[in-house]
Amino acid sequence: MKNDSQNITLIINGVSKSLSVGKKESLLDALRSASYFSVKSGCDSGDCGVCTILMEGRPVRSCMIRAMEADGVNITTVEGLSQGEKLHPIQEAFIETGAVQCGFCTPSQVLVAKALLDENPNPSEEEVRGAMSGVLCRCTGYVRTTEAVLRAAAVLREGETEPVMIPQQILPAESKQITLPEAYYRKGGNTAPLPPLVFTPQEMSQTQVIGKPEVKVDAEKLVRGRPVFADDQQPEGLLYGALLTSPHAHARIVNIDASQARAMPGVHAVLTYEDIPRIKYASGGQSYPQPPPYDQVCLDNKVRHVGDRVAVVAAETKYLAENALRLIHVEYELLPLVLDPVEAMQEDAPVIHDEPDTEGIYDSQHNVVHRIDAQVGDVETAFSSAEHVLEGEYHTPKQQQAHLETHVCITYWDEDDRLVIRSSTQVPFHIRRMVAPLIGLPVKRIRVIKPRIGGGFGNKQELILEDLCAHLTLKTGRPVRMELTRRQEFSSTRSRHPNLVRYKIGVTNGKLVAADLYLLGDTGAYGAHGLTVQMVGGFKGLTLYNPPNARFVSDVVYTNKPPTGAFRGYGAMQCQFGIEVLMEEIAEQLNLDVVEFKRDNWLKIGEPMHMAKVLGEGREGFEQMLESSALEQCVDIGLEAMDFYAKREANRRQSGHLRRGMGIAVVMHGSGIAGLDMAAATLKMNDDGSFNLLMGATDLGTGSDTILAQIAAESLGIPVDDLIVYSSDTDFTPFDKGAYASSTTYISGGAVRKAALKIKIQIQEHAALMLDLDDPAKLELKDRKVLAPDGRSLTLEEVALNSLHQMNQHQIMATASHMSYKSPPPTAAQFAEIAVDIETGQITVERLLMVVDCGRVINPITAAGQVEGGMAQALGFALTEDMIFDVEGHLVNDRFGPYHIFKADEMPVMDVIFVQTDDPSGPYGAKSVAEISIDGVAPALVSALHDATSVWVRELPLYPEQVWQALQRKTDKEINNA
Amino acid sequence: MHTKQMKAIQVISSGEHKTLSIPADLPLQFVYKADQSHELFHQSLDRLSWQRRDETTVLYSILSPDMAPQWISALLALGAEVVFAEREQSTPLEDFLPRVGPHSGEITALRIPQDVPGRVWAEEYVSTAPSAAPIVSVFAVVDILEDTVQHARLALTGVWRENARLADAIQTLVGGPLNSKSIQRAANAVEAEVAPQSDFLGSSDYRRAMSAVLTRRVLDQCQNYAEKGDIT
């Protein structure tokens, strides 16, 4: 028995379990120690709800209850819901509707749904959302989860329900005359979740597996709560790591005394900057060589933000490790700090990176990490001759990714003395390469395993914990687990770059002739992703409308705040906010129809993207031309679905304090980084005609495992079920750069398609041998068979058995790599309908509709999930999320609650419509969908706000006071002018 | 946690007066679901998650009022009193919270006047998102008989140092009619009385302005209900 502990009995899923628990041990920790890994840790402060279990049938947060209080109580976890193989109808509904994305919050959502339906078998949508509001989800936007619960309720009442259907329509030649199914007009206040509507051009080729709403390959294990996440393994002899962080925004470490901590019983290692070699690196998980500067070391003798790394401890228990941190005595010499990027560039600003061993900083004395200056055409001449020159300045917030699974890493030596890193990471191959020099091991002695990931959104495209965890294993010889707390997620990981976006646009005869974009990026204390985020912002921000004369200048500046990094949208979101709002303002000033003004100017098929070559991502780019786009149709369909013009007309005649507004934005993104991103995939045929699909591609809940399997299945004429998907492990899967830059469908999909076509040839060749045919290419693969023109056929199983055991024995197997010098943009039109309270400034979003061209839609359910989740995150970007600091650089809102992410019961109606195109370079015509989904909401909301009130607000988030002040200024102006 | 037998919410009659008695050990979820519960309870407790309502008792909520300030506001506006085991005399919640007057001893229940003749009520708030913690919220309860305000209570959050507090200024309504003039006068008085602190969600000027806007709105609603006869 542990010291200070007692024995309790929990009745878990009907089974009595005796546990020895510590006095302060939470029920969450006790359940996980007893191997109930479905119960998750997301915040330790009761804010997120992913630790929810049922206690006597009622939902409670296990992180807020002491284990001892639960003695003798009946507890239900999701492991207890299914009856052996048979899933509970709620679990089935979650799978069928696509409600499972990363799956981290899924067990708690399923349990809440169970409790609700036990009490109320016929809940309304509002009641479902109200019940689910205590579990945060960052992936789904709650659309499919709500649908899942309603569906499960119907099944439990009536015994069965209709299969999930995706409505399809042929895209007419003239999209302005389109009509939609009635439900998509949302008349009469219907708010029930709708499936995505898919428009397909008549001439687009048919597919068998692609385009179908296949169930995710990982969905079942996620709804069962199986132990598939990084922290769901507890190797023998595991030690617990903890991270000491700086309480100061800028200071030198004068002295660090860890002797008391080291002497503490149960503490196995304490590491400070004195114990670890000083090797410089950049923490962003990017392709080799990573863009400079290499401005970090594992543990430094200077701290540059509150939350910066100071020391690490490994101990027998989590509690011991945390207690040991308190015994590390650090003497700091406080330094002046600077929190504002404009101030940081001034002559007398404190120098944040004054160390002599960092190279590649543009101007360290003025804290300028990078200065980017790129131009095409003759901007000055174009402005001087333009009919109108208009300018606007916009500000975007420091938004945190807020994935529900915190960063967690386990490191251990395997039986071959190789270091294994099991990490919740988006970039396993980059991590392996980046960690190696930091810990003094060659790459070949390191293996990185990526299990299921509970969300990342870019924050796990980074070296955050792996090096420290590895150092502790090297020091102790034992497995070590490190997990960040939620507060540390806010203070010690990454966030979106807050930006000042300043545009100057020249217009003649309604056409953009010149554009100048200045982008000030606040990179925080370290520069990872600083260069590339701004370059992507510049490229996308000047390509959406593609004027022939364009200039991009950017300063990326250090401040004493937690560093920024990669976050879905990656600079494009910020700049498209600026350009879209300015286009609206220009249209107003020039008395132009805003939609037609945008239509006349947006990038068209066949046009070269002028900035593509000068603004690659971190280096020179490649010529690009738009080869596919359905933006016209996206806009027309959205105008129809929203009744855009009629509502805008009606909005002119409003009274009362609640005013309605209708807004629009058009956006584009990319599909991978041209000339840089590479992925590989391996297919291996098994005796029974099934295949192992081994990929380095990193599914972080996006469903990439599933859509990549669909691509392989389509090529091989088999169902997805015949593919055993394994991703991503540096020992067993081929290279993939990882999940970022919207590359997975386009680049990883390209690799899978190539591998599938290669293995298809091998199958055809062997089958031809078996059938004694001369021309293998004439053999068709369909329905798990090889079909000959003369009517004979072989099953794939027959081919497999024959090739492995009987004739010309060999393993039918293929590996292929793919990269592209193209990055075809998905395009989309975002619409928003809002109500604004003009007396308080509060905005209530009533409906969001995104009409998306992502090329061919591989899986409409997973693709819709990406769009819905992206819109939900964008709502936070636009309305509620900003990291706020006091004058000392401490975060004021470093927990959920004060940092508000949208909950299930406050979501607007969100609809998704796809307009398919057949991109010539994408696998089966596909482009990307993951990031474009987040780009449009903010400018569409500002557009709607203006429609409702005639005011422009150029700074996000749109807090009520900000809107109220803009309205006050407008009222004062009208009074003064009267 | 809630496995022991709990007492239920009761309506206690004493002559002409009725009182709702809510046992202190009752989880808030029971209060949320109870048929006898006041509409303002449901509205205010809706701000908490189901889990939190299940885990938190009435007792805990008044001992830690920052946990559910809108619920506390609703209780204040309704005139809740804290009942102790050892004492016959209960303590008004507005005295208990700042620990003024008798406040020690075992708390057994909250009592709220029920079925008060001429009672109307309303709630308003402003927030960044519908379920985000309100920046400012206002709960009003007004008793009107023969077109005259008999009693008025107005509880606000987000405009004091405390999480929730009653505004004394609403007493300007008592003894007179509830009409647009008296409502505006009351809103102005509340605006002058509040002492808001600035934070990133709202400056003190904004919060002060909202106290007036929302006070006016809740009283306008009360007036409408009274005129339509939507009263207890």
Side-chain angles (χ1 to χ4, degrees), chain A residues 567-589:
Chain A
F567 188 172
R568 190 183 199 175
Y570 208 78
M573 187 183 184
Q574 295 92 307
C575 291
Q576 287 184 107
F577 170 68
I579 188 62
E580 276 301 281
V581 176
L582 182 55
M583 289 292 281
E584 300 253 337
E585 295 189 63
I586 293 172
E588 183 191 44
Q589 288 189 45

PDB file of all heavy atoms in Angstrom, chain A residues 567-589:
ATOM      1  N   PHE A 567      -0.525  26.842 -36.707  1.00  0.00           N
ATOM      2  CA  PHE A 567      -1.921  26.637 -36.330  1.00  0.00           C
ATOM      3  C   PHE A 567      -2.713  26.706 -37.622  1.00  0.00           C
ATOM      4  O   PHE A 567      -2.553  27.635 -38.423  1.00  0.00           O
ATOM      5  CB  PHE A 567      -2.382  27.707 -35.337  1.00  0.00           C
ATOM      6  CG  PHE A 567      -3.752  27.517 -34.717  1.00  0.00           C
ATOM      7  CD1 PHE A 567      -4.165  28.360 -33.696  1.00  0.00           C
ATOM      8  CD2 PHE A 567      -4.620  26.535 -35.124  1.00  0.00           C
ATOM      9  CE1 PHE A 567      -5.431  28.216 -33.110  1.00  0.00           C
ATOM     10  CE2 PHE A 567      -5.865  26.377 -34.547  1.00  0.00           C
ATOM     11  CZ  PHE A 567      -6.268  27.224 -33.541  1.00  0.00           C
ATOM     12  N   ARG A 568      -3.506  25.708 -37.833  1.00  0.00           N
ATOM     13  CA  ARG A 568      -4.409  25.585 -38.974  1.00  0.00           C
ATOM     14  C   ARG A 568      -4.784  26.945 -39.549  1.00  0.00           C
ATOM     15  O   ARG A 568      -5.363  27.784 -38.845  1.00  0.00           O
ATOM     16  CB  ARG A 568      -5.654  24.894 -38.452  1.00  0.00           C
ATOM     17  CG  ARG A 568      -6.668  24.435 -39.468  1.00  0.00           C
ATOM     18  CD  ARG A 568      -7.848  23.835 -38.703  1.00  0.00           C
ATOM     19  NE  ARG A 568      -8.663  22.968 -39.542  1.00  0.00           N
ATOM     20  CZ  ARG A 568      -9.691  22.263 -39.073  1.00  0.00           C
ATOM     21  NH1 ARG A 568      -9.983  22.306 -37.791  1.00  0.00           N
ATOM     22  NH2 ARG A 568     -10.398  21.512 -39.882  1.00  0.00           N
ATOM     23  N   GLY A 569      -4.459  27.124 -40.821  1.00  0.00           N
ATOM     24  CA  GLY A 569      -4.680  28.437 -41.424  1.00  0.00           C
ATOM     25  C   GLY A 569      -3.369  29.114 -41.736  1.00  0.00           C
ATOM     26  O   GLY A 569      -3.204  29.693 -42.808  1.00  0.00           O
ATOM     27  N   TYR A 570      -2.443  29.055 -40.797  1.00  0.00           N
ATOM     28  CA  TYR A 570      -1.015  29.297 -41.024  1.00  0.00           C
ATOM     29  C   TYR A 570      -0.722  30.580 -41.795  1.00  0.00           C
ATOM     30  O   TYR A 570      -0.046  30.561 -42.806  1.00  0.00           O
ATOM     31  CB  TYR A 570      -0.424  28.082 -41.769  1.00  0.00           C
ATOM     32  CG  TYR A 570       1.033  27.824 -41.518  1.00  0.00           C
ATOM     33  CD1 TYR A 570       1.480  27.206 -40.355  1.00  0.00           C
ATOM     34  CD2 TYR A 570       1.995  28.182 -42.473  1.00  0.00           C
ATOM     35  CE1 TYR A 570       2.840  26.954 -40.148  1.00  0.00           C
ATOM     36  CE2 TYR A 570       3.349  27.925 -42.274  1.00  0.00           C
ATOM     37  CZ  TYR A 570       3.756  27.307 -41.117  1.00  0.00           C
ATOM     38  OH  TYR A 570       5.095  27.039 -40.919  1.00  0.00           O
ATOM     39  N   GLY A 571      -1.209  31.707 -41.324  1.00  0.00           N
ATOM     40  CA  GLY A 571      -0.902  32.974 -41.979  1.00  0.00           C
ATOM     41  C   GLY A 571      -1.910  33.345 -43.056  1.00  0.00           C
ATOM     42  O   GLY A 571      -2.271  34.524 -43.204  1.00  0.00           O
ATOM     43  N   ALA A 572      -2.373  32.354 -43.793  1.00  0.00           N
ATOM     44  CA  ALA A 572      -3.367  32.639 -44.838  1.00  0.00           C
ATOM     45  C   ALA A 572      -4.646  33.167 -44.213  1.00  0.00           C
ATOM     46  O   ALA A 572      -5.301  34.065 -44.746  1.00  0.00           O
ATOM     47  CB  ALA A 572      -3.658  31.381 -45.648  1.00  0.00           C
ATOM     48  N   MET A 573      -5.003  32.621 -43.069  1.00  0.00           N
ATOM     49  CA  MET A 573      -6.240  33.015 -42.389  1.00  0.00           C
ATOM     50  C   MET A 573      -6.185  34.493 -42.008  1.00  0.00           C
ATOM     51  O   MET A 573      -7.145  35.244 -42.188  1.00  0.00           O
ATOM     52  CB  MET A 573      -6.367  32.157 -41.143  1.00  0.00           C
ATOM     53  CG  MET A 573      -7.630  32.272 -40.389  1.00  0.00           C
ATOM     54  SD  MET A 573      -7.463  31.227 -38.936  1.00  0.00           S
ATOM     55  CE  MET A 573      -9.078  31.409 -38.254  1.00  0.00           C
ATOM     56  N   GLN A 574      -5.044  34.911 -41.475  1.00  0.00           N
ATOM     57  CA  GLN A 574      -4.926  36.287 -41.020  1.00  0.00           C
ATOM     58  C   GLN A 574      -4.983  37.249 -42.213  1.00  0.00           C
ATOM     59  O   GLN A 574      -5.688  38.261 -42.178  1.00  0.00           O
ATOM     60  CB  GLN A 574      -3.605  36.493 -40.258  1.00  0.00           C
ATOM     61  CG  GLN A 574      -3.473  35.709 -38.951  1.00  0.00           C
ATOM     62  CD  GLN A 574      -2.819  34.359 -39.098  1.00  0.00           C
ATOM     63  OE1 GLN A 574      -3.225  33.540 -39.915  1.00  0.00           O
ATOM     64  NE2 GLN A 574      -1.798  34.088 -38.272  1.00  0.00           N
ATOM     65  N   CYS A 575      -4.234  36.937 -43.265  1.00  0.00           N
ATOM     66  CA  CYS A 575      -4.179  37.861 -44.398  1.00  0.00           C
ATOM     67  C   CYS A 575      -5.476  37.859 -45.191  1.00  0.00           C
ATOM     68  O   CYS A 575      -5.896  38.900 -45.701  1.00  0.00           O
ATOM     69  CB  CYS A 575      -2.986  37.518 -45.295  1.00  0.00           C
ATOM     70  SG  CYS A 575      -1.423  37.880 -44.476  1.00  0.00           S
ATOM     71  N   GLN A 576      -6.111  36.711 -45.292  1.00  0.00           N
ATOM     72  CA  GLN A 576      -7.384  36.705 -46.015  1.00  0.00           C
ATOM     73  C   GLN A 576      -8.458  37.440 -45.232  1.00  0.00           C
ATOM     74  O   GLN A 576      -9.391  37.991 -45.811  1.00  0.00           O
ATOM     75  CB  GLN A 576      -7.796  35.270 -46.359  1.00  0.00           C
ATOM     76  CG  GLN A 576      -6.918  34.728 -47.481  1.00  0.00           C
ATOM     77  CD  GLN A 576      -7.297  33.350 -47.968  1.00  0.00           C
ATOM     78  OE1 GLN A 576      -7.842  33.195 -49.050  1.00  0.00           O
ATOM     79  NE2 GLN A 576      -7.004  32.348 -47.164  1.00  0.00           N
ATOM     80  N   PHE A 577      -8.325  37.478 -43.918  1.00  0.00           N
ATOM     81  CA  PHE A 577      -9.222  38.322 -43.132  1.00  0.00           C
ATOM     82  C   PHE A 577      -9.061  39.771 -43.588  1.00  0.00           C
ATOM     83  O   PHE A 577     -10.044  40.451 -43.899  1.00  0.00           O
ATOM     84  CB  PHE A 577      -8.926  38.191 -41.637  1.00  0.00           C
ATOM     85  CG  PHE A 577      -9.648  39.204 -40.791  1.00  0.00           C
ATOM     86  CD1 PHE A 577     -11.023  39.149 -40.648  1.00  0.00           C
ATOM     87  CD2 PHE A 577      -8.971  40.232 -40.156  1.00  0.00           C
ATOM     88  CE1 PHE A 577     -11.709  40.089 -39.892  1.00  0.00           C
ATOM     89  CE2 PHE A 577      -9.640  41.182 -39.396  1.00  0.00           C
ATOM     90  CZ  PHE A 577     -11.012  41.114 -39.259  1.00  0.00           C
ATOM     91  N   GLY A 578      -7.817  40.219 -43.660  1.00  0.00           N
ATOM     92  CA  GLY A 578      -7.557  41.597 -44.039  1.00  0.00           C
ATOM     93  C   GLY A 578      -8.041  41.910 -45.443  1.00  0.00           C
ATOM     94  O   GLY A 578      -8.758  42.888 -45.668  1.00  0.00           O
ATOM     95  N   ILE A 579      -7.659  41.082 -46.406  1.00  0.00           N
ATOM     96  CA  ILE A 579      -7.988  41.428 -47.790  1.00  0.00           C
ATOM     97  C   ILE A 579      -9.489  41.342 -48.034  1.00  0.00           C
ATOM     98  O   ILE A 579     -10.068  42.185 -48.740  1.00  0.00           O
ATOM     99  CB  ILE A 579      -7.210  40.542 -48.787  1.00  0.00           C
ATOM    100  CG1 ILE A 579      -7.418  41.042 -50.238  1.00  0.00           C
ATOM    101  CG2 ILE A 579      -7.599  39.081 -48.735  1.00  0.00           C
ATOM    102  CD1 ILE A 579      -6.916  42.432 -50.510  1.00  0.00           C
ATOM    103  N   GLU A 580     -10.159  40.365 -47.410  1.00  0.00           N
ATOM    104  CA  GLU A 580     -11.592  40.229 -47.643  1.00  0.00           C
ATOM    105  C   GLU A 580     -12.365  41.404 -47.063  1.00  0.00           C
ATOM    106  O   GLU A 580     -13.313  41.898 -47.682  1.00  0.00           O
ATOM    107  CB  GLU A 580     -12.101  38.909 -47.054  1.00  0.00           C
ATOM    108  CG  GLU A 580     -11.899  37.721 -47.992  1.00  0.00           C
ATOM    109  CD  GLU A 580     -12.609  37.940 -49.302  1.00  0.00           C
ATOM    110  OE1 GLU A 580     -13.831  37.748 -49.384  1.00  0.00           O
ATOM    111  OE2 GLU A 580     -11.932  38.354 -50.260  1.00  0.00           O
ATOM    112  N   VAL A 581     -11.966  41.853 -45.892  1.00  0.00           N
ATOM    113  CA  VAL A 581     -12.671  42.994 -45.308  1.00  0.00           C
ATOM    114  C   VAL A 581     -12.379  44.250 -46.119  1.00  0.00           C
ATOM    115  O   VAL A 581     -13.282  45.051 -46.400  1.00  0.00           O
ATOM    116  CB  VAL A 581     -12.293  43.190 -43.832  1.00  0.00           C
ATOM    117  CG1 VAL A 581     -12.960  44.439 -43.260  1.00  0.00           C
ATOM    118  CG2 VAL A 581     -12.711  41.973 -43.018  1.00  0.00           C
ATOM    119  N   LEU A 582     -11.124  44.417 -46.540  1.00  0.00           N
ATOM    120  CA  LEU A 582     -10.803  45.610 -47.326  1.00  0.00           C
ATOM    121  C   LEU A 582     -11.549  45.612 -48.661  1.00  0.00           C
ATOM    122  O   LEU A 582     -12.023  46.651 -49.111  1.00  0.00           O
ATOM    123  CB  LEU A 582      -9.297  45.716 -47.560  1.00  0.00           C
ATOM    124  CG  LEU A 582      -8.834  46.957 -48.327  1.00  0.00           C
ATOM    125  CD1 LEU A 582      -9.312  48.247 -47.654  1.00  0.00           C
ATOM    126  CD2 LEU A 582      -7.312  46.989 -48.458  1.00  0.00           C
ATOM    127  N   MET A 583     -11.685  44.454 -49.274  1.00  0.00           N
ATOM    128  CA  MET A 583     -12.442  44.392 -50.536  1.00  0.00           C
ATOM    129  C   MET A 583     -13.885  44.848 -50.314  1.00  0.00           C
ATOM    130  O   MET A 583     -14.473  45.525 -51.152  1.00  0.00           O
ATOM    131  CB  MET A 583     -12.423  42.963 -51.094  1.00  0.00           C
ATOM    132  CG  MET A 583     -11.085  42.523 -51.649  1.00  0.00           C
ATOM    133  SD  MET A 583     -10.590  43.397 -53.150  1.00  0.00           S
ATOM    134  CE  MET A 583     -11.585  42.552 -54.392  1.00  0.00           C
ATOM    135  N   GLU A 584     -14.431  44.474 -49.161  1.00  0.00           N
ATOM    136  CA  GLU A 584     -15.796  44.910 -48.831  1.00  0.00           C
ATOM    137  C   GLU A 584     -15.824  46.429 -48.663  1.00  0.00           C
ATOM    138  O   GLU A 584     -16.747  47.110 -49.136  1.00  0.00           O
ATOM    139  CB  GLU A 584     -16.255  44.236 -47.544  1.00  0.00           C
ATOM    140  CG  GLU A 584     -16.276  42.726 -47.584  1.00  0.00           C
ATOM    141  CD  GLU A 584     -17.674  42.153 -47.650  1.00  0.00           C
ATOM    142  OE1 GLU A 584     -18.626  42.846 -47.238  1.00  0.00           O
ATOM    143  OE2 GLU A 584     -17.821  41.019 -48.113  1.00  0.00           O
ATOM    144  N   GLU A 585     -14.824  46.945 -47.975  1.00  0.00           N
ATOM    145  CA  GLU A 585     -14.780  48.395 -47.742  1.00  0.00           C
ATOM    146  C   GLU A 585     -14.611  49.140 -49.060  1.00  0.00           C
ATOM    147  O   GLU A 585     -15.232  50.191 -49.289  1.00  0.00           O
ATOM    148  CB  GLU A 585     -13.619  48.745 -46.792  1.00  0.00           C
ATOM    149  CG  GLU A 585     -13.789  48.184 -45.393  1.00  0.00           C
ATOM    150  CD  GLU A 585     -12.743  48.716 -44.434  1.00  0.00           C
ATOM    151  OE1 GLU A 585     -12.710  49.944 -44.198  1.00  0.00           O
ATOM    152  OE2 GLU A 585     -11.958  47.917 -43.898  1.00  0.00           O
ATOM    153  N   ILE A 586     -13.776  48.604 -49.934  1.00  0.00           N
ATOM    154  CA  ILE A 586     -13.562  49.233 -51.236  1.00  0.00           C
ATOM    155  C   ILE A 586     -14.874  49.237 -52.031  1.00  0.00           C
ATOM    156  O   ILE A 586     -15.268  50.249 -52.633  1.00  0.00           O
ATOM    157  CB  ILE A 586     -12.458  48.506 -52.028  1.00  0.00           C
ATOM    158  CG1 ILE A 586     -11.102  48.693 -51.342  1.00  0.00           C
ATOM    159  CG2 ILE A 586     -12.391  49.014 -53.466  1.00  0.00           C
ATOM    160  CD1 ILE A 586      -9.981  47.854 -51.927  1.00  0.00           C
ATOM    161  N   ALA A 587     -15.548  48.100 -52.023  1.00  0.00           N
ATOM    162  CA  ALA A 587     -16.809  48.007 -52.766  1.00  0.00           C
ATOM    163  C   ALA A 587     -17.804  49.051 -52.254  1.00  0.00           C
ATOM    164  O   ALA A 587     -18.514  49.692 -53.030  1.00  0.00           O
ATOM    165  CB  ALA A 587     -17.397  46.605 -52.645  1.00  0.00           C
ATOM    166  N   GLU A 588     -17.815  49.235 -50.955  1.00  0.00           N
ATOM    167  CA  GLU A 588     -18.731  50.234 -50.387  1.00  0.00           C
ATOM    168  C   GLU A 588     -18.347  51.634 -50.842  1.00  0.00           C
ATOM    169  O   GLU A 588     -19.182  52.430 -51.274  1.00  0.00           O
ATOM    170  CB  GLU A 588     -18.697  50.165 -48.852  1.00  0.00           C
ATOM    171  CG  GLU A 588     -19.673  51.133 -48.197  1.00  0.00           C
ATOM    172  CD  GLU A 588     -19.471  51.263 -46.700  1.00  0.00           C
ATOM    173  OE1 GLU A 588     -18.311  51.367 -46.243  1.00  0.00           O
ATOM    174  OE2 GLU A 588     -20.477  51.287 -45.972  1.00  0.00           O
ATOM    175  N   GLN A 589     -17.048  51.926 -50.777  1.00  0.00           N
ATOM    176  CA  GLN A 589     -16.600  53.278 -51.119  1.00  0.00           C
ATOM    177  C   GLN A 589     -16.799  53.574 -52.594  1.00  0.00           C
ATOM    178  O   GLN A 589     -17.085  54.706 -52.974  1.00  0.00           O
ATOM    179  CB  GLN A 589     -15.122  53.448 -50.744  1.00  0.00           C
ATOM    180  CG  GLN A 589     -14.919  53.530 -49.238  1.00  0.00           C
ATOM    181  CD  GLN A 589     -13.499  53.912 -48.876  1.00  0.00           C
ATOM    182  OE1 GLN A 589     -12.910  54.820 -49.464  1.00  0.00           O
ATOM    183  NE2 GLN A 589     -12.933  53.222 -47.900  1.00  0.00           N
TER     184      GLN A 589
END
